[in-house]
């Protein structure tokens, strides 16, 4: 019961935070909108609990392969073990765990919606050879039918539904072994 309560509390707080951040980011672009409130509902967003067991060959194994998130925003809590890395200046850098902080990732949908003003960050998780790692991630997602359209013109990306995007990602992973993502939706 205690675990369930803690997870529900995190989901509620992360949901409110994600909506607030999306609103602030839109305002920073001088864009007043109820888009996120109307399209990213509790039943379209989700929470993922991640467990990464110790791996004696950690230098050869990723906990999560390099990728960008396919949502609007991700709110992440990671434990003190560490392992999250992101690309900065074409180099992988470790994100130092901080018990008093959450990590906020811009996802592909926000990059497309903002017309490239905000960038989806490539990241990965490396395993630890001796210690188990845990994290919780909340994903701000719209319904499958929601159409993602750049809020600024001229648009860099063609309009697409979240379902179309997810299907393209699945096809790429199945056929190519990795996600291509937003470059598939560029207009030029």
């Amino acid at each position: 019961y205690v675990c369930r309560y803690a997870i529900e509390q995190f989901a509620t707080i992360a949901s409110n935070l994600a909506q607030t951040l999306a609103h602030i980011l839109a305002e920073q672009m001088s864009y007043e909108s109820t888009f996120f409130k109307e399209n990213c509902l509790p039943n379209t967003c989700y929470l993922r609990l991640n467990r990464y067991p110790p791996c004696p060959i950690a230098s050869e194994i990723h906990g999560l392969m390099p990728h960008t998130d396919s949502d609007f925003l991700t709110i992440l809590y990671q434990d003190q073990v560490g392992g999250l890395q992101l690309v900065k200046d074409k180099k992988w850098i470790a994100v130092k765990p901080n018990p008093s902080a959450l990590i906020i990732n811009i996802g592909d949908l926000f990059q497309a919606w903002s017309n490239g003003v905000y960038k989806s960050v490539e990241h990965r998780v490396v395993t630890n050879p001796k210690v188990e790692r845990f994290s919780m991630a909340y994903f701000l997602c719209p319904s499958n039918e929601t159409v993602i359209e750049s809020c600024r013109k001229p648009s860099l990306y063609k309009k697409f539904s979240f379902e179309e995007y997810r299907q393209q990602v699945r096809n790429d992973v199945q056929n190519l072994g990795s996600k291509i993502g937003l470059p598939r939706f560029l207009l030029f």
Side-chain angles (χ1 to χ4, degrees):
Y1 176 79
V2 172
C3 183
R4 177 181 171 180
Y5 177 75
I7 291 169
E8 287 174 350
Q9 287 296 106
F10 178 81
T12 299
I13 290 166
S15 174
N16 292 334
L17 178 59
Q19 286 288 344
T20 300
L21 289 172
H23 181 75
I24 290 169
L25 291 171
E27 276 185 339
Q28 289 299 308
M29 295 176 42
S30 300
Y31 194 84
E32 284 294 324
S33 174
T34 56
F35 178 83
F36 300 102
K37 285 254 187 250
E38 293 170 358
N39 292 290
C40 299
L41 306 173
N43 65 337
T44 63
C45 302
Y46 64 97
L47 184 70
R48 179 181 292 152
L49 306 175
N50 301 301
R51 175 185 171 263
Y52 304 92
C55 181
I57 52 172
S59 62
E60 301 170 33
I61 304 293
H62 287 100
L64 265 179
M65 296 298 292
H67 68 284
T68 56
D69 291 341
S70 296
D71 59 348
F72 281 108
L73 291 171
T74 304
I75 312 288
L76 178 74
Y77 172 79
Q78 65 173 343
D79 66 12
Q80 298 312 299
V81 174
L84 178 65
Q85 297 179 340
L86 57 85
V87 173
K88 183 176 181 188
D89 301 324
K90 299 182 181 181
K91 294 180 184 170
W92 288 104
I93 61 165
V95 177
K96 185 179 176 184
N98 179 340
S100 301
L102 296 170
I103 295 160
I104 313 298
N105 279 346
I106 299 288
D108 297 343
L109 297 185
F110 219 116
Q111 181 172 327
W113 183 84
S114 73
N115 209 31
V117 171
Y118 299 115
K119 306 286 187 203
S120 186
V121 177
E122 185 177 15
H123 56 282
R124 68 183 182 186
V125 175
V126 294
T127 54
N128 186 295
K130 297 180 178 164
V131 183
E132 175 174 63
R133 177 184 188 269
F134 293 94
S135 67
M136 274 195 298
Y138 177 85
F139 299 90
L140 184 67
C141 297
S143 67
N144 283 336
E145 301 76 34
T146 300
V147 174
I148 310 305
E149 181 177 6
S150 295
C151 67
R152 290 191 169 172
K153 304 297 181 221
S155 180
L156 299 173
Y157 303 96
K158 61 183 173 182
K159 288 194 288 190
F160 56 89
S161 72
F162 187 41
E163 185 171 29
E164 289 173 299
Y165 190 76
R166 291 176 61 191
Q167 187 59 53
Q168 183 62 59
V169 168
R170 280 191 292 271
N171 291 346
D172 287 341
V173 170
Q174 184 177 17
N175 297 328
L176 305 172
S178 63
K179 173 184 170 183
I180 303 300
L182 280 179
R184 290 261 191 225
F185 294 86
L186 283 168
L187 284 170
F188 32 85

